[in-house]
Amino acid sequence: MIKLYLDSNIADWTYVIFKADWGEKIRIKDTKLPIKMKIEQYVCLRFLMDLDDEWDIIFGTSNMMKKENIIDFEKSRIDTDKLGFLSIFYELLVNKTQITHIKDLENNELFKCIRGIGIEHKDAIHLAEAKIGQWDCFITLDDNILKKRNAIEFT
């Protein structure tokens, strides 16, 4: 069994993938990356999503995904189709796996160490919950996290 922790931006990318599968055009504003990276990440994420039935993969996340992708988007008046999709995606994760939540995380030494290397608060929550929750892999497309992956690996 492989346990894969999904960062919040994966839900957003999953929406883009499903839009393409439904035959809708993917708009450039749906992602913020150069076109080559968009295509590469689309292919990789699509492949990964198709593997869960063939391999013994468990996907999971934390309550932070709900806050970032649903509550924050409701405040910004995101389009209702996308908001509905993100809500369903999160609920599927809730029903399929455990949602990681570590009490008093902000006082945890690992969390403080991750923040100390310049990772944003919400991202540090995700990373610490993934590590403490003993997830095998942290899946993200967040450029700010990816740029600091070498420092994170030693944390």
Side-chain angles (χ1 to χ4, degrees):
M1 171 178 55
I2 301 170
K3 291 174 53 180
L4 301 179
Y5 182 102
L6 304 179
D7 191 10
S8 295
N9 59 24
I10 298 301
D12 193 49
W13 257 106
T14 305
Y15 173 75
V16 174
I17 288 171
F18 279 106
K19 269 185 78 167
D21 283 352
W22 297 328
E24 296 182 31
K25 292 182 180 178
I26 298 175
R27 301 168 302 183
I28 294 298
K29 70 179 186 176
D30 287 331
T31 70
K32 299 175 186 171
L33 302 170
I35 191 69
K36 182 176 184 242
M37 288 180 70
K38 289 177 194 175
I39 293 168
E40 289 170 349
Q41 291 181 358
Y42 171 89
V43 170
C44 291
L45 187 55
R46 181 68 200 169
F47 180 72
L48 182 63
M49 290 175 61
D50 285 342
L51 289 178
D52 70 330
D53 291 334
E54 296 175 36
W55 297 358
D56 193 9
I57 298 177
I58 293 176
F59 296 106
T61 192
S62 76
N63 288 324
M64 182 58 73
M65 181 185 280
K66 183 174 187 177
K67 180 184 180 332
E68 288 182 282
N69 283 341
I70 299 169
I71 297 168
D72 289 351
F73 283 160
E74 283 175 342
K75 292 176 186 173
S76 67
R77 299 189 182 112
I78 191 172
D79 80 49
T80 54
D81 287 342
K82 186 171 186 176
L83 181 59
F85 177 87
L86 294 174
S87 297
I88 290 168
F89 183 83
Y90 178 77
E91 292 305 318
L92 284 172
L93 285 176
V94 168
N95 292 327
K96 188 172 183 178
T97 68
Q98 71 184 44
I99 298 298
T100 303
H101 179 71
I102 311 298
K103 292 182 180 178
D104 201 26
L105 184 64
E106 293 175 0
N107 290 320
N108 181 285
E109 287 304 313
L110 177 63
F111 174 81
K112 291 176 183 177
C113 187
I114 293 169
R115 288 285 289 140
I117 59 174
I119 300 293
E120 289 183 30
H121 185 269
K122 62 185 170 71
D123 294 331
I125 288 174
H126 278 296
L127 288 162
E129 287 189 343
K131 180 71 174 174
I132 294 167
Q134 298 180 333
W135 290 87
D136 297 314
C137 191
F138 182 86
I139 308 294
T140 188
L141 300 171
D142 187 322
D143 197 40
N144 293 322
I145 294 174
L146 294 173
K147 285 179 183 176
K148 297 178 180 176
R149 70 179 169 266
N150 291 334
I152 293 167
E153 287 177 12
F154 293 109
T155 302

